[in-house]
Amino acid sequence: MMTNNRIRIAMQKSGRLSQESQALLKQCGVKINWNEQRLIAYAENMPLEILRVRDDDIPGLVFDGVVDLGIIGENVLEEEELARTSAGEQVSYKKLRRLDFGGCRLSIALPREMPYQSIQDLNNARIATSYPNLLKRYMQQQGVKFKNCLLTGSVEVAPSAGLATAICDLVSSGATLEANGLREVEVIYRSKSCLIQRALPLDEEKQALVDRLLTRIQGVQQANE
Ligand code: PRT
Ligand code: ZN
């Protein structure tokens, strides 16, 4: 693989985190020529390049040291970390900073009319989710058994389609649950986006640039407070 002296940062190409990730770099004074079609974008005023990928790929790229930095939702980060550790892999990375965008919660929701007292009511129920590892961790902590229905999209229609009793999905405003006749009964994880760095040390120059970038991010966050 080609090595270069630029910091390589992975960001979501298009989706809920992409605009704010781009805006954050801009606020930090990084000038980038964005070309919608390109996988890689280069900064004009510092040795930094941006790899634009699906958010799901970002944790792995950082864990594997393919990129130096990543901006990613904690939900996706922890899900991938749990998936790898439960497969017996060692995972290491550094969380540099929690960011101010991408806030959401991972929640269990049920058909509105279904009675619910506590999580025990879901003993042996089938739950549809795209986050099987975060759900499993939570259910284990609660001591409740469940059956998985793994869906990477359209999770909210699983109960009405007869695929599952309940769902475990991301919620921000709650409008999607409402529109699908579901009600939120347990919040199992609260997430924001974050900046992560690979565990393998960077050379001195690169680390100095990362440190500078981090100081600027802190400045931007304080200014927005
Ligand atoms: O294509 P790619 O794989 O990169 O993107 P994606 O479609 O997997 O992810 P994307 O862009 O939808 O979300 C990226 C990240 O944004 C998530 O991993 C979260 O960290 C964060 N985020 C914040 C959210 C939401 N809020 C959110 N509301 N991600 C998804 N949603 C969805 C949720 O799944 C549900 O379908 O929005 C719907 C609920 O929203 P409300 O407002 O109706 O409650
Ligand atoms: Zn994704």
Side-chain angles (χ1 to χ4, degrees):
M1 197 163 69
M2 236 172 66
T3 55
N4 64 29
N5 58 1
R6 294 171 195 270
I7 294 285
R8 185 173 268 194
I9 172 166
M11 286 177 15
Q12 190 185 27
K13 183 169 194 288
S14 65
R16 289 169 195 266
L17 303 181
S18 45
Q19 279 199 348
E20 280 168 296
S21 303
Q22 291 185 14
L24 179 66
L25 289 188
K26 193 175 171 187
Q27 287 174 301
C28 289
V30 185
K31 289 203 179 110
I32 295 151
N33 245 326
W34 297 105
N35 177 330
E36 281 311 307
Q37 308 310 319
R38 292 254 166 88
L39 174 70
I40 299 181
Y42 299 95
E44 291 168 7
N45 58 342
M46 54 184 82
L48 187 148
E49 65 190 37
I50 290 128
L51 190 68
R52 301 164 71 231
V53 291
R54 290 200 58 182
D55 66 345
D56 313 74
D57 296 334
I58 295 172
L61 289 167
V62 175
F63 298 164
D64 295 336
V66 177
V67 298
D68 306 310
L69 301 177
I71 295 179
I72 183 64
E74 291 168 324
N75 53 313
V76 174
L77 174 64
E78 271 205 45
E79 177 65 25
E80 180 64 19
E81 181 176 359
L82 288 171
R84 288 198 179 200
T85 48
S86 70
E89 258 183 70
Q90 283 235 5
V91 170
S92 51
Y93 64 92
K94 295 181 231 172
K95 192 188 262 190
L96 299 183
R97 190 92 188 157
R98 213 172 184 223
L99 302 173
D100 291 334
F101 55 88
C104 57
R105 52 197 193 271
L106 185 64
S107 293
I108 296 177
L110 307 173
R112 203 179 286 135
E113 63 287 355
M114 202 177 126
Y116 183 84
Q117 301 279 312
S118 77
I119 193 72
Q120 305 298 333
D121 296 350
L122 290 177
N123 202 20
N124 288 320
R126 190 172 297 279
I127 307 178
T129 191
S130 313
Y131 295 90
N133 291 290
L134 285 171
L135 176 60
K136 186 171 154 200
R137 181 175 72 182
Y138 178 78
M139 294 302 257
Q140 272 174 352
Q141 285 164 352
Q142 302 299 315
V144 179
K145 291 202 163 66
F146 74 105
K147 295 190 275 279
N148 233 345
C149 167
L150 188 62
L151 292 176
T152 58
S154 305
V155 174
E156 65 280 359
V157 300
S160 60
L163 301 177
T165 306
I167 70 165
C168 171
D169 199 10
L170 298 177
V171 182
S172 43
S173 68
T176 304
L177 294 183
E178 178 72 29
N180 286 280
L182 300 169
R183 84 182 151 112
E184 192 175 358
V185 293
E186 304 285 343
V187 176
I188 75 162
Y189 186 81
R190 290 189 190 274
S191 179
K192 278 193 170 185
S193 57
C194 63
L195 176 69
I196 56 173
Q197 180 178 336
R198 69 172 205 199
L200 201 68
L202 300 175
D203 70 36
E204 227 172 278
E205 232 171 278
K206 277 187 171 184
Q207 188 59 53
L209 178 57
V210 170
D211 293 345
R212 251 183 19 239
L213 206 58
L214 192 57
T215 306
R216 290 190 190 182
I217 290 174
Q218 285 162 358
V220 168
Q221 286 186 325
Q222 274 160 12
N224 289 341
E225 261 171 21

